[in-house]
Amino acid sequence: MFRITAHVQGKDKFERAMATLTGPQLREAMAEAINMGAGRVKNVMRQEMQSVFDRPTPYALNAVQTHKKASASDLNAMVAPTYMGGKGVDPQKFLAAQEEGGRRQDKRSEVALRRVGILPHGYQTAIPATPFTGSDDGRGNLRGSFVVQLISYFQAFGEQGYRSNMTDGRKKAIQQRGGKGAKFVGPVRGHRFFVAYGRARGGARWTAKGENDRRASNLAPGIWAATGTGGADVRPVLMFVKNASYTPRISVEQVRLRSGVDELVPKWIRGRVYEAAKRVGL
């Protein structure tokens, strides 16, 4: 969060220009310059995020906004991560972790998977190095529609969303041909998802029939997909990893220094005051 205020000193010419203006005229000129500084800080902050993060999403970049503009009645502007509503995570939470460090907040999908006992306590999720086909958005995140499919597949929607949980018929369609209306050629068909815990829960997984399946005991904890004829091709979909912690990666103070607003805003104030004074006949 950046707060930008007016601190300006001038010589005789500048003092004469200020004296020419009424109080509201002077404050309006100063507010305009302060808002220019806020816009500069916003742009530098976004540039910093693009530099230190791996393929930041447009949602994260656009979250940095001029949260409050300066006005003649209040010569303060504020640049801060701004939550725009919707289903996304509050950007103030995840950007604060990048500045201060500490444990990453759970994603909505992690909360849902943990609620039904799929994601163990003390774990979060991560996409494998080679993402499962159609699962990622190209920026290191799962596609929203794929997350919904996983939660639905494992019956992880709560009471309000239980109608979205996948039926046995729908699961069968995905396993046989990749989903409703999907086309395939030859013996390769769809896929089925299953959960493996490796050594996290005794080394083997329990099947839907309540049987201990030793075939999965060597798999790392996570959600996997069995594809191909007879499910012979097993691929990782979403890995379960120990709770992630961030080291500080963004410095608000460094962004402020890079933006140069401490020097530029006074300069812009002087320019706007001179312009306003000329308009009233200085």
Side-chain angles (χ1 to χ4, degrees), residues 132-133 146 149 153 166-185 188-193 226-228:
F132 184 70
T133 303
F146 190 81
Q149 184 187 55
Y153 190 94
M166 197 172 293
T167 63
D168 290 341
R170 171 67 171 150
K171 289 183 181 180
K172 185 176 181 180
I174 290 176
Q175 182 176 347
Q176 289 182 338
R177 56 184 182 270
K180 183 179 180 180
K183 298 180 180 180
F184 61 90
V185 178
V188 178
R189 300 198 172 203
H191 54 265
R192 62 182 174 84
F193 298 119
T227 64

Side-chain angles (χ1 to χ4, degrees), residues 91-173:
Q92 287 197 8
K93 293 183 179 179
F94 64 73
L95 287 177
Q98 298 293 346
E99 180 187 356
E100 300 169 5
R103 180 181 177 276
R104 172 172 71 76
Q105 294 289 321
D106 285 341
K107 301 174 183 176
R108 291 174 184 265
S109 58
E110 292 168 336
V111 173
L113 292 173
R114 186 177 291 111
R115 183 178 62 239
V116 295
I118 293 174
L119 181 64
H121 288 285
Y123 284 77
Q124 293 177 319
T125 58
I127 296 177
T130 301
F132 184 70
T133 303
S135 67
D136 75 314
D137 63 0
R139 296 176 180 273
N141 301 298
L142 287 181
R143 291 171 48 234
S145 59
F146 190 81
V147 171
V148 171
Q149 184 187 55
L150 280 182
I151 295 175
S152 173
Y153 190 94
F154 289 110
Q155 308 286 300
F157 280 106
E159 288 186 14
Q160 293 182 341
Y162 76 98
R163 293 179 184 272
S164 299
N165 287 329
M166 197 172 293
T167 63
D168 290 341
R170 171 67 171 150
K171 289 183 181 180
K172 185 176 181 180

